[in-house]
Amino acid sequence: MKKEIKLKVNGFEYDLSVKPHWTLLDVLREQLGLTGTKKGCEKGECGACTVIMNGAAILSCLVLATQAQGKDILTIEGLSKDGKLDPLQGAFVKYGAIQCGFCTPGMIMTSRALLNKTPQPTEEEIKRGLSGNLCRCTGYVKIIEAVKNASAMEESK
Amino acid sequence: MKRDYVNIGKRLPRIDGIVKATGEAKYAADLSLPGMLHGKLLRSPYPHARILNIDISKAKRLPGVRVVVTGKDTIGFKAGGISAKGDEHYLALEKVRFIGDAVAAVAALDEEIAEEALNLIEVEYKELPAVVDPVAAMQEDAPLVHDHAPKNISYKADLFYGDVDKAFKECDYVREDRFETAPIRHGFIEPHAALASWDNSGKLTFWGSKQSPYFTYRNMAKALNVSLSRIRVVQPYIGGGFGGKNEMFNVDFCAALLSQKTGKPVKIVVSQEEVLFAYRQRHPTLIDLKTGLKKDGTIMALEANIIADGGAYLSIGAMSLYLMCAFFCMPYRLPNMRTKGYRVYTNTQPSCAMRGHGIPQIRFAAEVQLDIAAKEIGLNPLDIRLKNALKPGETTPNGFKITSCGFEESITESKRIIARWMEEKPRDDGGKIKRGIGIGCYGFVSGPRVAGHNTAGAVIKVHEDGGISLFTGSTDAGQGSDTILSQIAAEVLGVHLEDIRYGMVDSDVTPVDPGTYGSRVTFITGNAVRLAAEDVRNQLAEVAATSLEANPKDIVFKDRKVFVAESPERCLPFDKLVKIAQYSGTGKTILGRGYWAPEGLEVVNFETGKGNMSATYSFGTQVAEVEVDTETGFIKATRMAMVHDCGQPINEMLMEGQLEGSAIGGVGHTLMEEIIRKDGQTMNPSFLEYKMPTTMDACDVEIVHTDTYDEVGPFGAKESGEGIQVAVVPAIVNGVYDAIGVPFKRIPITPEMVLKALKK
């Protein structure tokens, strides 16, 4: 039996018909065509599905679509404004923090939530903050560097 | 060597960085087609069983199910092997040989219905005795995994040069040890996914997460019994491969078969759990190693016996075993060698290539044993390596010709780094933490010559506004080859990287390519791109020569301009030159073509192991500083340095990214990762329980490259990023040896192992 719900994603409201057990991840990808958020493990172990919900980084594979009603959801697609990259996105590109790119959306969303909460994180805080996002390609070195640089850039504004 | 380049050697952002940072890049699971069905695979719960009957009637009747297929719906094609016969059905026919072997596939309106249908398929199995240990599998009375392989030997190798028995007698010091490496995962975050669309004209279009699409292109035609020209393989963005996405798998085949049967597009996305227990792994090994040296540290002889657990199927395992046996000859002079190996069938997960391809396992053994020898002889580990290091112009006993080689330089530079580190941090502050520094060295191929097609091709199309489209058959699985190849084209044509548009592999359009493996793309495809760009440049130079009244040979292409060599004021902007070319007379079509494979390489004789495998070899030394907590047994890699010889780096930033990834990947391999199995059942098929490095395991990585230039490589480049994986493991193990005096002979090193060793 499907339920009618309203979801607010990247500033837009959507009327959707979902089964109660569907996850936010599945609904974002399949119903809204927002495939930027990735399905890595479906068990909350890899962080590839990270989105920001009411300001906090959450694992969308562990949130039911129905639970996301009434909340403000931001996905990777909602980060850039008017074609201009978010400073984190720009830093990831500039500092070589992207290789295969599959962990990148989740990594950027977690970083975004981190910087929103802690604008000048220490290296230790960055490492801890991103410890739930797995990457097999980069060894994390340039990811940490990119987040540092993005936070410095945002501070100087 | 400093040369004046615009693109080469620069820290340029990768060309697909933006679309990956915005989530716009589409991977296989992100693709959809109208009317698409979803597929799922049914897998064996037994490690070894005969299939007596499969009843699909209930599954077929479930509303929403469109078709159910089993092995009986296939032509029985067997995949696997290079110079050996294939042995793996995409859907099992008579037997299942490991937990995870696929027996049926379903296509339905959505994933949930497909999943439910799997539960309704009734398979009658007759369980057979299973063998899960390679040593047990080689015994006379062991159950046979494959009838064609007595004693479960799927491949064997015996390579020998010189006279080891005589040489050992003449050695002052001989050391024998047994080493063991556990099975590990490739660990790419993107699970396997395939989308196939069969149309009624009998043509198949396929999108899949494949790092070498042309393998799938060929195998798909064979497996479906369809001509090659009816198969079109298109490559989406790939979420990492590391050697685990080279082969065509059951997921790819079933998507195509289900599409053929339903007339609808079918997408199958495998779960990460399935990736972890039902697909591939790195060969676990048991290595009995004996090395003989003179008292001045000269290595005289080496003898190895290797047992590699190949799991249920051959896959690329013959090549894996050959590489394990052969690469004892690098990177040191070794006049006498005998290496015997067996790749064994067991009823467990099949083993294939993984970054370094067999060489990390054996070099771990060799490098650790060398450190033990150094200590017992009374020599510095760096000096013993310097003494034996291969030099330019030498040839190994099996025929590897060393051309450009910065190996010695990498060792001396590492000495300097270690001296500096030792000044910066005390070795031991008397507390529970013990600090140590270790090294490991490597020599690696830049594109191995294997039997069959080894040539790369490139095509360049010039747009009317001076923009360039570049097509090759090579795939970027994340390592950055799209960008590297574009940089090479940009440099030759004298334009900028952003003027190049790279077209991803589409077998209808792009030149055939052997694939992304063995670190071949920069070296081999890079040269093909260079030639294609030179072809375009020559065509344009003819036009420029007429316009600028000069000799075509004197036309220089640089910085989006073309000018006459001795009088640069006679110049044209590149885009204007293109317009002149395309609008003069009836108009020229500027298309460039290039293809390249290393010349003069014999295909290695896999029986004797003799032959030069690669046109050039990369070298390097890895340094690792570790801290051992003597109370908990936990080991941490606190910093690393890599001094490597990759010739001229094409892109400094991308090269660093690859090296850093290799370094931290090595931390996982040495200290954290292990597939744990009981009676053939994988006990940790999840990221939670199979621990891969996280940001908390990242450490500082210093990168230095030696001043070398390869005459054959494009702009002097050789491989980078895979060879180093060979050296990271021993560097860490040797660091622990330095810290607590225990040379571990098994990886991963667990805290329990450390505490047990410290107690002794």
Side-chain angles (χ1 to χ4, degrees):
Chain A
M1 229 28 264
K2 282 192 177 168
K3 262 188 96 171
E4 302 298 312
I5 63 166
K6 263 191 180 20
L7 280 189
K8 185 163 179 220
V9 183
N10 298 333
F12 292 111
E13 281 220 340
Y14 297 91
D15 285 312
L16 299 166
S17 196
V18 306
K19 286 197 183 159
H21 64 272
W22 284 359
T23 62
L24 175 61
L25 175 64
D26 278 325
V27 170
L28 287 171
R29 287 177 56 80
E30 309 299 324
Q31 300 223 318
L32 298 182
L34 295 168
T35 57
T37 308
K38 303 302 178 198
K39 185 180 283 195
C41 70
E42 276 192 294
K43 291 160 103 179
E45 294 170 355
C46 73
C49 69
T50 306
V51 298
I52 294 175
M53 192 161 84
N54 280 2
I58 57 113
L59 298 168
S60 60
C61 73
L62 294 183
V63 172
L64 296 175
T66 50
Q67 282 177 295
Q69 267 199 111
K71 311 242 166 57
D72 242 306
I73 299 158
L74 184 68
T75 73
I76 188 77
E77 291 93 341
L79 261 199
S80 50
K81 298 233 172 327
D82 300 318
K84 201 159 166 269
L85 293 180
D86 179 281
L88 271 167
Q89 289 171 310
F92 267 62
V93 175
K94 183 172 175 196
Y95 293 97
I98 303 174
Q99 289 186 35
C100 84
F102 196 77
C103 77
T104 302
M107 202 63 86
I108 290 179
M109 295 314 282
T110 303
S111 305
R112 183 70 270 160
L114 172 70
L115 291 188
N116 288 349
K117 195 161 168 224
T118 315
Q120 299 303 307
T122 61
E123 178 165 316
E124 187 61 26
E125 283 170 320
I126 296 174
K127 281 183 164 182
R128 268 187 205 284
L130 292 179
S131 59
N133 287 76
L134 289 179
C135 171
R136 192 57 157 172
C137 296
T138 66
Y140 306 103
V141 178
K142 293 192 182 327
I143 291 175
I144 295 165
E145 198 189 331
V147 177
K148 273 192 203 157
N149 277 286
S151 94
M153 206 188 110
E154 289 183 347
E155 202 229 350
S156 65
K157 284 222 170 103
Chain B
M1 236 179 254
K2 295 255 175 285
R3 290 168 196 226
D4 181 25
Y5 295 127
V6 171
N7 297 286
I8 303 295
K10 304 287 186 261
R11 304 183 72 82
L12 299 175
R14 56 189 299 149
I15 57 178
D16 54 7
I18 293 179
V19 294
K20 286 176 174 173
T22 56
E24 290 165 297
K26 299 265 179 289
Y27 300 76
D30 300 330
L31 302 173
S32 276
L33 286 171
M36 185 174 79
L37 300 172
H38 296 262
K40 285 259 177 245
L41 296 164
L42 180 68
R43 302 183 188 279
S44 164
Y46 300 112
H48 200 194
R50 204 163 288 289
I51 300 172
L52 298 176
N53 188 47
I54 304 184
D55 183 350
I56 61 172
S57 53
K58 290 204 188 87
K60 271 167 72 171
R61 284 199 298 268
L62 183 69
V65 169
R66 288 290 177 269
V67 77
V68 182
V69 295
T70 68
K72 292 214 175 88
D73 297 295
T74 73
I75 61 166
F77 170 74
K78 288 187 193 174
I82 295 185
S83 46
K85 271 169 66 183
D87 61 3
E88 187 176 6
H89 288 127
Y90 289 125
L91 284 173
L93 267 175
E94 323 88 16
K95 279 210 301 187
V96 288
R97 295 182 172 86
F98 76 103
I99 296 174
D101 216 348
V103 302
V106 173
L109 289 179
D110 62 45
E111 279 192 71
E112 287 174 5
I113 296 173
E115 189 84 53
E116 209 186 319
L118 290 184
N119 291 331
L120 297 173
I121 300 174
E122 290 169 344
V123 186
E124 213 185 318
Y125 291 106
K126 179 172 185 309
E127 262 194 276
L128 297 169
V131 60
V132 299
D133 169 75
V135 175
M138 291 199 294
Q139 305 312 307
E140 288 293 342
D141 55 348
L144 280 187
V145 179
H146 289 269
D147 292 336
H148 71 259
K151 289 175 132 196
N152 288 311
I153 294 172
S154 82
Y155 195 72
K156 64 179 181 210
D158 189 351
L159 309 182
F160 47 90
Y161 318 110
D163 186 340
V164 280
D165 293 324
K166 179 163 174 281
F168 277 127
K169 289 202 184 83
E170 292 166 7
C171 288
D172 300 312
Y173 172 90
V174 175
R175 172 104 206 160
E176 283 188 68
D177 297 282
R178 167 168 276 209
F179 294 89
E180 195 186 333
T181 69
I184 65 168
R185 300 256 124 76
H186 300 83
F188 38 79
I189 314 294
E190 183 212 9
H192 302 292
L195 169 63
S197 183
W198 182 275
D199 68 44
N200 277 306
S201 71
K203 189 157 177 198
L204 175 76
T205 308
F206 175 89
W207 297 259
S209 185
K210 315 307 307 177
Q211 59 185 98
S212 300
Y214 286 98
F215 286 155
T216 295
Y217 168 68
R218 273 183 221 109
N219 270 19
M220 193 66 87
K222 288 186 203 157
L224 291 174
N225 198 24
V226 157
S227 55
L228 264 180
S229 56
R230 301 225 150 254
I231 307 279
R232 179 181 172 209
V233 174
V234 182
Q235 177 223 315
Y237 284 96
I238 314 276
F242 312 105
K245 285 182 178 168
N246 266 322
E247 302 160 83
M248 177 169 134
F249 293 128
N250 46 33
V251 52
D252 311 304
F253 172 73
C254 289
L257 181 66
L258 291 168
S259 181
Q260 191 186 35
K261 297 241 177 250
T262 56
K264 295 258 183 255
V266 174
K267 180 161 82 174
I268 309 183
V269 181
V270 164
S271 73
Q272 191 66 241
E273 190 181 346
E274 287 173 289
V275 175
L276 300 181
F277 79 84
Y279 288 89
R280 302 300 203 227
Q281 64 176 19
R282 192 194 274 288
H283 284 84
T285 58
L286 258 175
I287 302 166
D288 285 319
L289 184 62
K290 183 174 167 186
T291 306
L293 300 92
K294 286 244 184 281
K295 58 176 179 275
D296 68 354
T298 308
I299 302 172
M300 295 299 296
L302 183 148
E303 188 167 2
N305 280 289
I306 304 165
I307 296 175
D309 183 348
Y313 296 106
L314 178 59
S315 173
I316 198 182
M319 176 61 86
S320 315
L321 187 69
Y322 161 75
L323 290 169
M324 287 183 216
C325 289
F327 269 77
F328 278 108
C329 72
M330 291 264 272
Y332 312 110
R333 214 163 292 115
L334 180 62
N336 304 283
M337 175 178 119
R338 179 162 197 180
T339 53
K340 278 170 80 162
Y342 293 101
R343 184 191 186 268
V344 186
Y345 282 126
T346 60
N347 292 114
T348 62
Q349 192 169 15
S351 307
C352 75
M354 179 177 167
R355 199 159 182 175
H357 201 173
I359 303 167
Q361 295 97 303
I362 58 122
R363 292 312 307 170
F364 146 64
E367 292 286 315
V368 172
Q369 194 173 65
L370 192 58
D371 254 36
I372 299 172
K375 188 161 186 197
E376 295 189 347
I377 292 177
L379 285 171
N380 181 298
L382 287 138
D383 291 331
I384 205 172
R385 284 166 170 87
L386 260 175
K387 188 155 192 63
N388 294 285
L390 283 169
K391 294 200 246 275
E394 290 194 68
T395 300
T396 67
N398 48 344
F400 291 0
K401 293 194 174 72
I402 311 303
T403 52
S404 68
C405 175
F407 188 27
E408 279 188 324
E409 192 187 329
S410 78
I411 303 173
T412 27
E413 181 59 33
S414 299
K415 260 189 156 176
R416 279 195 279 271
I417 292 172
I418 293 174
R420 179 180 18 109
W421 284 9
M422 282 173 69
E423 263 189 51
E424 287 171 3
K425 276 192 212 172
R427 196 189 156 67
D428 194 338
D429 46 21
K432 59 175 183 153
I433 304 285
K434 298 270 178 262
R435 199 171 279 130
I437 297 177
I439 62 163
C441 299
Y442 74 92
F444 201 74
V445 298
S446 281
R449 174 82 168 99
V450 297
H453 190 270
N454 200 34
T455 302
V459 174
I460 293 182
K461 171 184 150 155
V462 181
H463 296 268
E464 290 173 10
D465 63 352
I468 311 284
S469 278
L470 167 65
F471 301 91
T472 75
S474 289
T475 297
D476 190 332
Q479 81 279 25
S481 56
D482 288 3
T483 303
I484 299 298
L485 297 173
S486 302
Q487 281 179 254
I488 291 171
E491 193 69 39
V492 173
L493 291 170
V495 298
H496 292 182
L497 179 60
E498 59 259 33
D499 302 329
I500 311 284
R501 188 176 170 154
Y502 188 88
M504 300 207 291
V505 172
D506 176 336
S507 64
D508 265 6
V509 181
T510 53
V512 140
D513 187 89
T516 294
Y517 60 82
S519 291
R520 52 179 300 287
V521 178
T522 296
F523 188 74
I524 299 181
T525 311
N527 271 323
V529 169
R530 177 181 57 80
L531 289 171
E534 284 170 7
D535 185 8
V536 168
R537 195 175 63 190
N538 292 340
Q539 292 172 45
L540 289 173
E542 295 282 339
V543 178
T546 310
S547 268
L548 298 173
E549 292 175 356
N551 198 307
K553 283 203 303 282
D554 297 326
I555 306 290
V556 179
F557 287 68
K558 193 163 180 169
D559 217 2
R560 289 176 172 149
K561 286 196 294 286
V562 296
F563 55 88
V564 181
E566 298 306 309
S567 31
E569 71 283 358
R570 284 151 70 196
C571 70
L572 275 172
F574 182 84
D575 54 356
K576 185 144 186 238
L577 170 62
V578 169
K579 278 211 171 60
I580 294 173
Q582 300 202 321
Y583 288 106
S584 57
T586 53
K588 277 186 176 6
T589 302
I590 311 286
L591 276 178
R593 178 184 79 162
Y595 48 88
W596 194 86
E599 289 291 310
L601 289 188
E602 322 100 77
V603 179
V604 170
N605 178 327
F606 291 105
E607 289 285 318
T608 63
K610 286 216 181 318
N612 189 18
M613 192 170 218
S614 177
T616 189
Y617 298 87
S618 62
F619 293 89
T621 303
Q622 170 94 20
V623 188
E625 180 191 77
V626 303
E627 279 177 7
V628 183
D629 185 325
T630 52
E631 262 174 36
T632 62
F634 272 90
I635 302 170
K636 199 171 162 59
T638 44
R639 62 179 156 173
M640 292 201 257
M642 312 163 114
V643 188
H644 77 131
D645 162 27
C646 70
Q648 161 77 55
I650 303 282
N651 185 317
E652 292 270 354
M653 193 162 70
L654 264 54
M655 177 204 73
E656 283 170 11
Q658 279 285 287
L659 293 173
E660 289 155 3
S662 235
I664 306 301
V667 170
H669 193 179
T670 319
L671 302 175
M672 298 165 77
E673 296 177 42
E674 180 175 0
I675 300 177
I676 296 171
R677 257 188 289 264
K678 190 168 153 52
D679 299 328
Q681 175 93 44
T682 303
M683 305 306 285
N684 58 346
S686 73
F687 283 141
L688 183 68
E689 293 156 314
Y690 176 88
K691 303 214 179 299
M692 297 194 330
T694 69
T695 45
M696 303 305 288
D697 305 294
C699 63
D700 282 335
V701 181
E702 259 180 71
I703 292 167
V704 180
H705 37 256
T706 61
D707 186 12
T708 38
Y709 184 91
D710 191 88
E711 294 301 326
V712 182
F715 292 98
K718 298 192 281 189
E719 83 82 31
S720 153
E722 185 176 10
I724 195 78
Q725 180 92 111
V726 172
V728 186
V729 169
I732 296 173
V733 177
N734 285 334
V736 175
Y737 182 25
D738 184 48
I740 59 172
V742 179
F744 285 101
K745 301 179 198 173
R746 183 223 184 238
I747 51 166
I749 305 171
T750 63
E752 290 85 2
M753 284 164 64
V754 174
L755 292 176
K756 197 166 165 202
L758 285 173
K759 265 205 201 109
K760 285 208 202 129

